[in-house]
Structure formats: C-alpha cells, structure tokens
Amino acid sequence: MSPAKVCLLLSLPLLVLFAMSLNGQGGILTGLDALFAPAFENTNEVLLYYAWWPRLCVALLAGGGLALAGVLMQQVLRNPLASPTTLGVASGANLALMVATLMAPGLLIIGREWVALIGGGLAVGLVFAITWRRGLAPVVVVLAGLVVNLYLGALSTALLLFNHETLAGLLIWGAGSLAQNGWDGVASLWPHLAVSAIAAGLLLRPLGVLELDDASAKSLGISLKYLRFAGLGLAVFITGSVVSVVGIIGFIGLAAPNIVRMAGARRLSSRILWSTLLGAVLLATTDLLLQHFSGMVATLIPTGAVTGALGAPLLMWLIPRLKLQGDRPPRAAGVFMNRHPAPHRLAVGIMLALFAFSILGLLLGQGADGWYWISPAEWDVLEWRLPRVMAAAASGLMLAVAGTVLQRLSANPMASPEVLGISGGCAIALILGIYFLPTPSNIVLIGIGTLGAMATLLVLVALNRKSGFVPERLLLSGVAISALFDAVRSVLLAGGDPRGQQVIAWLAGSTYYVDVTSAVVVGSIAVGLALITLPFNRWLDILPLGAPTARSLGINLNRARLALLLMVALLTACATLVVGPLSFIGLLAPHMARLVGFSRARQHLLGAALIGMLLMVIADWVGRQIMFPYEIPAGLVASLIGGAYFMWGLRRL
C-alpha cells in the first residue's frame, strides 16, 4: 500500500467524525457559517468559533508539526526510534513550568508558552553542549538526549511527589491537552510551522547526504556537525513551538514517519510530505474521537494520552510489515570502546565500594538527635534497613544485566528494559490492579504484575516471530507497548484520584514496602538469573558484529535472539515488581561499565551488574537521608546521581 493510500484510508475516519461532530451542533452548514461569519448572539456558534474550530486547527497543525519534527530527527540521527521528545524538549518544558509554578508564578502571567519554550530550549542546549566535541555524532546525541530526558523527568517527578496538589493541574497539560478558548494557539503555531516547512524544504538536499555513511558524506565536502545542528535545531524549534501550545504529545512524531516508511516512502522529500499529512490526520482524528466519547466518562482524558493509546496498536499492527535491514552490521555498536588493562582488579575495587556503601546504608542514619551509628546487633533497626539495601542491590543487578544483554543483542545504545516494553506492560497491570481491585494484597499485585509482563512478552514474540526477532523491529514493538503504558498512566494520574500519589511513588522506584522475606526472595532470583545469563557470553560477543558474521560462526539467530529476549523479560519483570519500572539503571549501568573499561561480554555483564548494584545501594541510602525525615525514592536518586555522572562522562569524550 502506498503512502498516499495509507493517508487517504486513515483520513476516512476523520471525515466521518468531522461530519458527526458538526451534525451534533446544528449541521455542517451551521458549522461553516460559525467559522466564516459567526452570529455572536448565538451561543452555539460562539462555542464553535472560539472552541471547536480552533481546537481542530490546532490539532491539524500540531500533528503535522510533530510528524515533520519526527522525520527530521530520524533522518539526522539515523534511528527509527528517534522522536520529537528524544532530545529533552518536552521534559525541559514540563520542568520549567513546574519550577515557575512553585517559585515564580508571576512568569506564567507573561505567557505559559514562553516559559515552556525557554525550558525546552535550555534542555536541548544542554544536549548540544554535551555532544558538540563529538561533532553531534548521532549515537552520542541520542544517548545525551535520553539521559537529559530521564534526568529532567526525575527532577519533575521529585517536585511532583512533594507538591502534588499544587502541580496537579500540570499533569493534564503534561499529558497533552488540545482544549482552546480562542484563536491564540493557532495564531502562535501557524507562522512557526510555515517558516519551518520552508526551512525543511531548503534542507532537503543537504539532509539527503545523511543517507550515506560519515566518510562518504565528508568526501563530498559536507560539514556534518553543522548540517546535523541545522537539522536538529529545526526539529527542536518545531517541537518547542508545539509543546508550548498544547503540551506533550509525543507518539505522533514517532508513529507517522514509521508508518509512511512502512508504506514504501523511501526518499526524504516523500517521507516529509506524507508524514506531515498523516500526523495531522492522526492527531485530529484522535481528538475528534475523544470529544465524541468524552461525555461517557466522569474524568477528563487528555488528548495526548489517547493518541498513544490508539496509535500504539496501529503501530504494532504495521510493525510486521516494516521492511528493515536489521541484519546488516551496525554503524555503531557502542560508543565507549575503552579497555581497562586489568578488568578483574577494577571489578574487585567496585565490589569493595559496594560492600562499603552497603555497610553504610545499614549502620549509618539520622534520628531525632542527628546522625548516629548503630550496632550490628540492633535488629529492631536493621530489620527495616536490611530489606531495602538488599532490594536495591537486587533490582540494580537485574536491570543492569537486562540492559547489557539488550544493548549487545540489538547493537543499539538506546535500548533499555523500558524501550523493550516489558516494564511498561508490568506497570500497566499493576496500576490497573491498584485502581480497580479492592485493597489488593502484595501477593495479588505480584501475580498481576507477572501476568502483565508475560502478556507483553507474548505480544513481542507474536509481532516478531516471523521476522526472526530483528532488533530494530523488536525495539519499535517495545516503544509501542511503552506508549500504551504512558497513556494509561497519564489518564489515571490526570483524573485526580488520591491513589495517584501511591502510583507516582512506586513509578519513581521506591523500596518503601519491601520486607525481609520478599528481599531474600528477590535477591535469590536476581543472583540466579544473573548466573543463568553467563553461558550466553559467546552470543553476546558475536551478535553486535551483525547477523552475517553471527551466522557464519554457527549461531542460530532466531533461537539466540528469542532466548536472550526471554532472559531480558524475566530480569525486567522481577525488578519492576520490586521497585517499579525503573529503567535508567538498565540504560546507564552498561554504558558506565563500558566507559570505565569493561569491553568483552563477560566483563561487561560483571561490570554493569556491580555498577548497577552500587548505584542503587547509594541511591537508596541518599534518598533516605538527604531530606530526612522525608524520603526520596531510590529510583529518582539513581537517575539524578547516575545521570549527572553520565552527562559528565559524555562531555569528556
């Protein structure tokens, strides 16, 4: 099916909903009269002119703009997983609005969109500053963007935990709201997008050079650094303009470009044209559908959340039809290729640090009279601290090993347990259990979470079995499942239910509720699964070299990929059940291990596991002490500590 036919087919629901919506408000002719010559004494026409039509126009503009930004991002970064939210624009805008609401509410009077735009710009400026020395190399830009995204998201979640009532209104904006009360949004968006479309047209031929590898592009006399800066800068400008008006609607920029690529659009000009049209159609259709059914539910449902909920199944249906050259050797299997001369001595040093911080977490703390040490014999205190230290270490071990396996399996530095979707599926099941079951016990929640993780794994296998588990297709499947999780989370949190606070704390990666029995069980599972991973070392050494090399060395790719995927799913599900969908350790620990010099698969697994445990143990202790008697969840602290170190490490490369 051609891109034109796909756009036409998906436009039919939009036309039907358009007619149904106007028929419910006096008919199509009345709606057109309200647009071009409104009778302001007629309440219905006033609502159409100031609310319905501006909302439709903003949906079309925002959807088209996000899709255009998505095409540019994917072209420059050479990665189908890249999207307008990749470089931290949305998280920067969200954090800026939170800070302004708490500390300088007067700035919001000037204009919320300006605060959001400045926040998004500063976030992207940080990404560019980190990666400038590497010539804005795609892999490094993607890594920096992911880290900045997670870092700013952790800061936002920390603010939300301690100021939930004050910031509750921002949850709706953060989930993407297209509600309008005039034409200001349209007036703000269309000039920005018109200029962006002209700029994209001027960049068509230069950006086409990025289809080549770096060496070929440089031989043509192209400055890759400044070309990437121009392409990414334009995508960021578009994203910032859209986010400042309608909030965070992230899935359109990922789905539309991939759908038109699946439909056969290969040239950049074709992808830009059809992706922009399809993005406008998808977002407008979703918003009209939401308006049609919004009266059936008592809570407010943001459009951005519904976009993810509807777009994710569409993307999952199209993924098996995606033509990807997933078997070619990766352009960059990893960023850090340092080799430590004595990796075993380095591992011993990290183990000693882990032991020291574990003792610190058990014996040193604060009380009513300040800091104090306890005796190892004081079990009445240790019975509360020991499970938390054990659970933190176990979850760090499992997420680090899962992230290492996934990154080496896919040869994609963006890969992490969250991207695979296992933690998202587990989280969806647990959140639904918390909301819809009367006082569920921990055992019931564990069972529900396990079922959610296994159901996600079955979906992944079903979508990718025929393709032989091609890594890029597998990761796209995980992104679609994660989008569903984000949609469910956004809808439930935006509803204002008091149980949302418990969900936020769990999502942040908390060890609050772990007892001795569950800590021993999860620790045993973590060690067992980590040991089971060791026999796969040969596969993990060879798979990053590409499918042809792996086959020539006698590896059955389908069997190897399925076995490793199952191992990642088990590790992620067990960790998620303990501390929530904390994926940052799964992204960070493998890279830190490679950064300090663990290169071969066995060394990489060992180093990542030790670093993951160390980070989580430190994070749990710091979270308990830094704002005593209040606590910050270990997941947030791990993101803040590890993210700062990772950004520093990227800057020094």
Side-chain angles (χ1 to χ4, degrees):
M1 187 179 293
S2 68
K5 290 182 179 178
V6 169
C7 289
L8 181 61
L9 180 63
L10 294 177
S11 296
L12 295 179
L14 174 61
L15 296 175
V16 172
L17 289 167
F18 176 84
M20 290 174 59
S21 182
L22 285 182
N23 283 334
Q25 302 184 63
I28 295 177
L29 293 178
T30 301
L32 294 175
D33 286 340
L35 175 62
F36 295 107
F40 291 107
E41 66 276 5
N42 186 319
T43 304
N44 188 48
E45 291 196 17
V46 169
L47 290 174
L48 284 169
Y49 181 77
Y50 284 110
W52 193 88
W53 279 111
R55 180 165 180 161
L56 177 62
C57 292
V58 164
L60 291 169
L61 289 170
L66 289 171
L68 174 58
V71 174
L72 293 172
M73 289 275 192
Q74 292 176 17
Q75 178 73 9
V76 175
L77 299 178
R78 297 171 176 165
N79 199 316
L81 298 178
S83 71
T85 56
T86 298
L87 299 188
V89 180
S91 55
N94 193 39
L95 179 61
L97 284 171
M98 285 187 172
V99 172
T101 301
L102 294 173
M103 301 180 183
L107 292 176
L108 300 178
I109 300 175
I110 300 173
R112 185 178 68 176
E113 65 275 9
W114 293 108
V115 176
L117 197 56
I118 291 171
L122 290 175
V124 175
L126 178 59
V127 173
F128 285 168
I130 292 171
T131 58
W132 189 257
R133 288 177 59 182
R134 290 292 299 271
L136 300 181
V139 174
V140 185
V141 170
V142 168
L143 282 174
L146 274 173
V147 174
V148 169
N149 239 332
L150 291 168
Y151 193 82
L152 298 182
L155 287 174
S156 298
T157 305
L159 291 176
L160 190 60
L161 275 173
F162 295 104
N163 304 276
H164 186 260
E165 294 183 1
T166 306
L167 300 175
L170 279 177
L171 291 173
I172 298 174
W173 178 89
S177 176
L178 296 179
Q180 302 291 307
N181 56 8
W183 291 91
D184 291 344
V186 177
S188 172
L189 265 183
W190 82 260
H192 291 178
L193 297 183
V195 171
S196 301
I198 295 172
L202 295 175
L203 286 173
L204 266 180
R205 292 191 65 183
L207 289 177
V209 176
L210 295 178
E211 298 284 352
L212 306 173
D213 56 50
D214 286 2
S216 301
K218 289 177 181 177
S219 68
L220 297 175
I222 301 294
S223 173
L224 291 179
K225 178 190 291 188
Y226 290 102
L227 179 56
R228 288 167 180 157
F229 180 78
L232 291 176
L234 179 57
V236 165
F237 174 75
I238 296 170
T239 307
S241 301
V242 173
V243 166
S244 66
V245 173
V246 300
I248 303 172
I249 302 177
F251 193 70
I252 294 292
L254 174 69
N258 278 293
I259 290 172
V260 299
R261 188 193 295 270
M262 295 173 200
R266 294 291 178 262
R267 295 174 61 86
L268 178 60
S269 57
S270 177
R271 295 205 309 273
I272 285 180
L273 172 63
W274 295 115
S275 293
T276 303
L277 292 175
L278 183 59
V281 167
L282 287 176
L283 187 55
T285 302
T286 302
D287 192 51
L288 286 175
L289 189 67
L290 175 63
Q291 292 182 64
H292 186 72
F293 292 104
S294 60
M296 300 182 182
V297 293
T299 185
L300 176 64
I301 302 178
T303 304
V306 178
T307 304
L310 296 180
L314 176 63
L315 184 56
M316 284 190 282
W317 178 75
L318 287 168
I319 280 170
R321 296 151 180 83
L322 175 61
K323 294 180 180 179
L324 286 173
Q325 293 179 330
D327 287 348
R328 66 187 175 189
R331 286 184 175 130
V335 180
F336 311 117
M337 300 304 295
N338 303 328
R339 289 194 177 187
H340 194 278
H344 295 295
R345 278 190 297 171
L346 181 61
V348 170
I350 299 174
M351 290 174 67
L352 292 175
L354 174 62
F355 178 76
F357 277 101
S358 299
I359 296 298
L360 191 72
L362 290 173
L363 303 183
L364 179 62
Q366 296 184 72
D369 299 322
W371 291 92
Y372 69 96
W373 288 88
I374 66 168
S375 165
E378 296 183 45
W379 177 246
D380 56 333
V381 178
L382 285 179
E383 69 174 331
W384 297 101
R385 293 182 181 177
L386 181 61
R388 298 189 61 167
V389 172
M390 291 178 63
S395 59
L397 168 65
M398 288 188 285
L399 289 168
V401 171
T404 304
V405 171
L406 192 55
Q407 288 180 19
R408 297 187 77 97
L409 167 66
S410 64
N412 192 325
M414 287 181 69
S416 69
E418 181 188 45
V419 175
L420 189 61
I422 300 295
S423 59
C426 182
I428 289 175
L430 280 170
I431 291 175
L432 293 177
I434 291 172
Y435 269 78
F436 296 109
L437 292 179
T439 60
S441 65
N442 286 337
I443 296 177
V444 171
L445 289 177
I446 288 173
I448 292 173
T450 303
L451 288 176
M454 297 311 295
T456 306
L457 178 60
L458 289 176
V459 171
L460 287 171
V461 171
L463 290 175
N464 294 275
R465 180 174 55 84
K466 289 184 179 180
S467 69
F469 304 99
V470 174
E472 282 188 335
R473 197 187 307 267
L474 188 64
L475 293 175
L476 274 174
S477 306
V479 168
I481 294 170
S482 298
L484 275 177
F485 160 60
D486 289 336
V488 171
R489 179 189 61 183
S490 298
V491 169
L492 293 178
L493 293 183
D497 193 297
R499 287 169 294 188
Q501 186 79 355
Q502 178 186 355
V503 171
I504 292 172
W506 178 74
L507 292 175
S510 172
T511 57
Y512 293 164
Y513 308 110
V514 180
D515 56 23
V516 175
T517 303
S518 57
V520 171
V521 170
V522 74
S524 302
I525 293 173
V527 173
L529 290 176
L531 292 175
I532 292 173
T533 307
L534 292 179
F536 300 128
N537 286 334
R538 180 173 176 269
W539 288 354
L540 295 175
D541 272 325
I542 295 172
L543 287 175
L545 302 177
T549 303
R551 289 195 185 99
S552 68
L553 294 174
I555 292 180
N556 184 319
L557 281 180
N558 285 3
R559 184 184 303 169
R561 287 169 173 169
L562 181 58
L564 291 172
L565 174 61
L566 179 61
M567 182 58 59
V568 170
L570 290 173
L571 287 163
T572 306
C574 293
T576 302
L577 291 170
V578 179
V579 294
L582 175 63
S583 65
F584 195 88
I585 296 298
L587 173 71
L588 176 63
H591 282 288
M592 291 184 68
R594 193 183 290 274
L595 179 65
V596 297
F598 294 103
S599 56
R600 297 292 299 273
R602 183 182 294 272
Q603 300 168 1
H604 196 186
L605 285 169
L606 175 62
L610 291 174
I611 290 173
M613 289 192 289
L614 178 61
L615 281 174
M616 282 300 296
V617 168
I618 293 174
D620 183 64
W621 182 78
V622 171
R624 283 186 277 136
Q625 308 302 330
I626 194 170
M627 293 186 65
F628 183 83
Y630 303 104
E631 293 190 16
I632 304 176
L636 286 180
V637 180
S639 296
L640 297 175
I641 295 175
Y645 176 80
F646 197 27
M647 285 187 283
W648 173 80
L650 279 174
R651 182 71 183 89
R652 286 174 55 87
L653 285 176

